[in-house]
Amino acid sequence: MSNKVIICGVDTSTLPKFSANELSELMAAIKKGDEDAKQQFIYGNMRLVLSVVQRFSNRHENMDDLFQVGCVGLIKAIDNFDVSLNVKFSTYAVPMIVGEIRRFLRDNSAIRVSRSLRDIAYRALQSRERLGATLQREPTLEEIALDLDTPYRQVACALDAISEPMSLSEPVYSDDPDALELGDHIADSVENDEKWLNNVSIQDALESLAPREKRIIIMRYYLGKTQVEVSDEIGISQAQVSRLEKNALKLVKKFFV
């Protein structure tokens, strides 16, 4: 966050930095209606918005748009923050900012959801924000369903229906380029287990490998480790891991014939 970042025309390196006491004083002034204090508080927390926006960098959305939406969430958090509760503002604000960005992504999704489910989902999201402000924590689905007087199953299905779909290319364990992707873990209903076993013996394929190559394949494809993690554990370079893995896969493929 110390690096210079320009987003929506704002140079984040020039944004003011306030101490915890200064932020508390500004918040107290805001609650008394001081608009200048509110403006200062917003600028002082834009780095917080940027840190949240960066969580969504893999969505291929316009980052300026997400930053602006995140700022809306920040302003909502400022307006609804209860200074009488012993809670840090950032602890309360981050879920509000995340929720605002997710709402934006959901409303701009190409997937269409039935009107009835969407209505339940919107009411559930409003309930989540309302309960979150009261409880000062993320409410459970059971609490949301009780608040809406709606069956738990309907609330869960509605929220699932509007959730952002995941890409099959989404890294499962980390953002490392060599990480296994979601698609690597999805079963193929056509090439089922029985058909695979009729054509290949995984155990025989592994036993045909040298001990180090066998270990690399197990760590990469059974334990989901990245090449960097494997290289650190085995004590060789990532380039060597890559070369050994490729050689091992060539040998394993012979058992698929």
Side-chain angles (χ1 to χ4, degrees):
M1 296 301 297
S2 60
N3 295 332
K4 177 179 178 180
V5 176
I6 297 179
I7 188 165
C8 289
V10 177
D11 182 352
T12 57
S13 66
T14 65
L15 291 174
K17 295 182 180 179
F18 297 111
S19 66
N21 288 335
E22 289 173 328
L23 288 174
S24 296
E25 292 174 359
L26 285 173
M27 179 57 73
I30 291 170
K31 294 305 178 181
K32 294 179 181 179
D34 189 331
E35 289 297 322
D36 182 60
K38 183 176 182 178
Q39 194 67 29
Q40 292 183 60
F41 196 91
I42 292 171
Y43 278 114
N45 281 277
M46 279 189 174
R47 289 186 181 86
L48 178 64
V49 176
L50 180 60
S51 68
V52 174
V53 167
Q54 288 174 336
R55 300 183 189 180
F56 298 86
S57 59
N58 63 341
R59 300 296 186 93
H60 308 294
E61 295 284 341
N62 185 292
M63 297 302 287
D64 282 0
D65 290 345
L66 295 186
F67 183 76
Q68 292 183 56
V69 173
C71 288
V72 172
L74 171 65
I75 294 171
K76 287 185 177 180
I78 294 171
D79 292 340
N80 292 286
F81 184 64
D82 188 346
V83 294
S84 66
L85 298 175
N86 188 26
V87 177
K88 287 180 61 177
F89 174 76
S90 59
T91 303
Y92 175 76
V94 168
M96 294 282 284
I97 297 170
V98 170
E100 198 68 27
I101 292 174
R102 285 178 175 168
R103 187 179 299 107
F104 169 79
L105 293 173
R106 182 190 65 242
D107 291 344
N108 286 274
S109 172
I111 297 177
R112 295 292 176 259
V113 179
S114 71
R115 180 68 176 271
S116 59
L117 274 179
R118 187 178 290 276
D119 288 344
I120 294 174
Y122 281 163
R123 291 195 296 115
L125 292 173
Q126 291 171 354
S127 173
R128 176 187 289 172
E129 287 191 13
R130 185 170 60 253
L131 291 173
T134 303
L135 302 172
Q136 294 296 300
R137 62 171 173 80
E138 185 75 9
T140 65
L141 279 180
E142 289 86 352
E143 290 170 332
I144 294 173
L146 183 62
D147 180 56
L148 296 177
D149 191 23
T150 302
Y152 170 89
R153 188 180 184 85
Q154 287 187 23
V155 174
C157 288
L159 290 175
D160 281 344
I162 63 168
S163 62
E164 186 72 13
M166 293 185 67
S167 168
L168 292 177
S169 299
E170 187 84 12
V172 177
Y173 295 103
S174 71
D175 293 328
D176 190 282
D178 297 315
L180 294 181
E181 299 176 346
L182 179 61
D184 296 324
H185 293 265
I186 300 215
D188 189 332
S189 59
V190 177
E191 298 292 343
N192 54 39
D193 289 346
E194 183 177 356
K195 189 169 182 179
W196 274 108
L197 290 173
N198 288 334
N199 292 284
V200 63
S201 169
I202 297 297
Q203 187 62 40
D204 288 345
L206 290 175
E207 292 301 328
S208 71
L209 302 175
R212 187 162 61 174
E213 292 175 332
K214 177 181 177 181
R215 186 180 177 189
I216 289 173
I217 292 299
I218 290 175
M219 292 174 70
R220 286 281 289 139
Y221 295 96
Y222 284 82
L223 302 181
K225 294 181 179 291
T226 67
Q227 289 185 351
V228 173
E229 291 170 332
V230 173
S231 68
D232 290 340
E233 188 164 331
I234 294 181
I236 60 178
S237 69
Q238 186 268 334
Q240 287 178 293
V241 171
S242 178
R243 178 176 56 80
L244 290 170
E245 179 182 338
K246 289 179 181 178
N247 291 337
L249 289 176
K250 287 180 181 178
L251 292 174
V252 169
K253 284 179 181 179
K254 294 180 180 179
F255 287 80
F256 285 77
V257 179

